[in-house]
């Protein structure tokens, strides 16, 4: 199955994509994770991306396109969930072409809907493991007690001012993709509020339904 998980920053895309990986065997392809890893290793892509990420802007389409397409090819074009890609109409059009060329179209786009006040709360309480990149939430998904607390850090782009910019960029550039996928009959909207497990159950059942109706 080939999926996209879509939604504003902090909606829970990464959290749910990682559950889809362990429970449905889909490999999580997160362009955000790939970019952060490149920044940590100071690769040419990482150096180019840094200024954009730090300001809460999008990294240029041409750069992210290559990262996403290489990652999909690495999975033999199947059994993946794209987390954080595409984020612009240009990226979505390239992805459609890329999948068509390989005869492996996207099966569904899960859109997590979460009100703004919940997003702001989730991002202000998000913490990550400095080495593994594993994501936690101080209240809803706290880091295990045996992890050195010095390794639990806040992402630089989760500071309130950068979050405001990321949300504005989301509204301007990314949200229109809902219509793009709706018109292709791929959009499955899921309520992203409530416990992590409750959200996963909703996702699991809409995917089962989709598989049953397309069979
Ligand atoms: P979040 O999980 O909060 O939605 P990500 O970890 O997916 O954020 O992305 C972090 C940053 O990496 C983005 O703010 C952006 O600068 C960059 N980035 C990630 N994916 C893309 C993309 N598809 N297009 C452009 N920039 C991206
Ligand atoms: P995204 O990838 O969309 O930016 P994340 O998966 O990183 O979102 O989630 C943002 C923050 O909210 C993280 O701290 C995560 O642990 C937490 N979180 C995710 N889903 C839920 C949920 N259903 N309820 C409460 N907190 C959640």
């Amino acid at each position: 199955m080939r999926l996209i998980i879509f939604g504003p920053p902090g909606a829970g895309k990464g959290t749910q994509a990682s559950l889809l990986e362990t429970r449905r065997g889909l490999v999580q392809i997160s362009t955000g994770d790939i970019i952060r890893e490149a920044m940590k290793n100071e690769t040419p892509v990482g150096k180019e991306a840094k200024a954009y990420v730090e300001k809460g802007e999008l990294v240029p389409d041409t750069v992210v396109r290559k990262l996403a397409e290489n990652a999909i090819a690495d999975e033999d074009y199947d059994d993946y969930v794209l987390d954080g890609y595409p984020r612009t109409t240009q990226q979505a059009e390239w992805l459609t072409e890329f999948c068509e060329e390989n005869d492996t179209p996207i099966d569904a786009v899960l859109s997590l809907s979460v009100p703004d006040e919940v997003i702001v709360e989730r991002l202000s309480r998000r913490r990550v493991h400095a080495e593994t990149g594993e994501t936690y939430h101080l209240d809803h998904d706290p880091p295990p007690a045996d992890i050195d607390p010095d390794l639990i850090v806040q992402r630089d782009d989760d500071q309130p001012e950068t979050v405001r910019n990321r949300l504005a960029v989301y509204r301007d550039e990314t949200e229109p993709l809902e219509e793009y996928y709706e018109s292709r009959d791929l959009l499955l909207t899921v309520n992203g509020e409530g416990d992590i497990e409750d959200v996963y159950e909703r996702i699991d059942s809409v995917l089962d339904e989709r598989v049953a109706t397309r069979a």
Side-chain angles (χ1 to χ4, degrees):
M1 192 175 224
R2 297 171 291 274
L3 297 182
I4 294 172
I5 192 156
F6 178 84
K13 301 181 295 295
T15 302
Q16 297 299 329
S18 139
L19 292 175
L20 285 165
E21 176 163 295
T22 36
R23 299 179 186 177
R24 286 185 89 109
L26 305 176
V27 172
Q28 175 184 7
I29 299 178
S30 159
T31 43
D33 286 350
I34 297 170
I35 291 168
R36 274 186 294 280
E37 188 64 22
M39 284 166 55
K40 203 163 91 184
N41 295 328
E42 298 183 356
T43 66
V45 164
K47 286 183 191 159
E48 184 176 355
K50 192 168 188 284
Y52 297 98
V53 174
E54 282 177 351
K55 280 188 261 166
E57 300 288 339
L58 294 180
V59 173
D61 285 339
T62 46
V63 175
V64 193
R65 173 195 198 176
K66 266 194 224 136
L67 301 177
E69 291 184 358
N70 290 343
I72 294 171
D74 283 348
E75 299 312 324
D76 281 337
Y77 307 93
D78 204 2
D79 294 325
Y80 60 80
V81 49
L82 285 172
D83 158 18
Y85 188 88
R87 262 173 151 110
T88 63
T89 306
Q90 175 70 86
Q91 291 177 17
E93 283 169 355
W94 280 334
L95 178 66
T96 303
E97 278 168 33
F98 178 76
C99 290
E100 272 170 9
E101 275 164 21
N102 294 295
D103 218 8
T104 48
I106 295 293
D107 295 301
V109 179
L110 293 162
S111 172
L112 288 178
S113 92
V114 180
D116 278 1
E117 62 273 18
V118 175
I119 287 171
V120 170
E121 185 277 336
R122 285 188 186 169
L123 290 179
S124 67
R125 304 289 282 166
R126 172 158 70 183
R127 296 294 182 273
V128 293
H129 191 292
E131 285 166 4
T132 64
E134 183 82 25
T135 298
Y136 302 102
H137 183 285
L138 291 178
D139 313 301
H140 303 296
D141 188 12
D146 60 352
I147 297 183
D148 176 356
D150 289 346
L151 290 175
I152 301 298
V153 298
Q154 189 166 26
R155 270 170 49 175
D156 288 340
D157 62 343
D158 278 347
Q159 298 300 331
E161 192 159 323
T162 318
V163 166
R164 270 195 293 278
N165 194 36
R166 285 163 61 206
L167 283 172
V169 168
Y170 173 79
R171 302 282 172 235
D172 289 348
E173 307 220 32
T174 309
E175 204 166 47
L177 295 190
E178 283 199 315
E179 245 174 74
Y180 178 91
Y181 286 115
E182 173 79 73
S183 69
R184 285 163 175 75
D185 199 20
L186 289 173
L187 196 73
L188 302 174
T189 302
V190 173
N191 175 3
E193 282 189 273
D195 287 352
I196 292 173
E197 284 298 333
D198 292 344
V199 177
Y200 183 78
E201 262 175 46
R202 286 175 209 140
I203 290 179
D204 204 39
S205 62
V206 294
L207 288 179
D208 285 346
E209 256 172 57
R210 172 63 51 133
V211 170
T213 52
R214 294 259 159 125

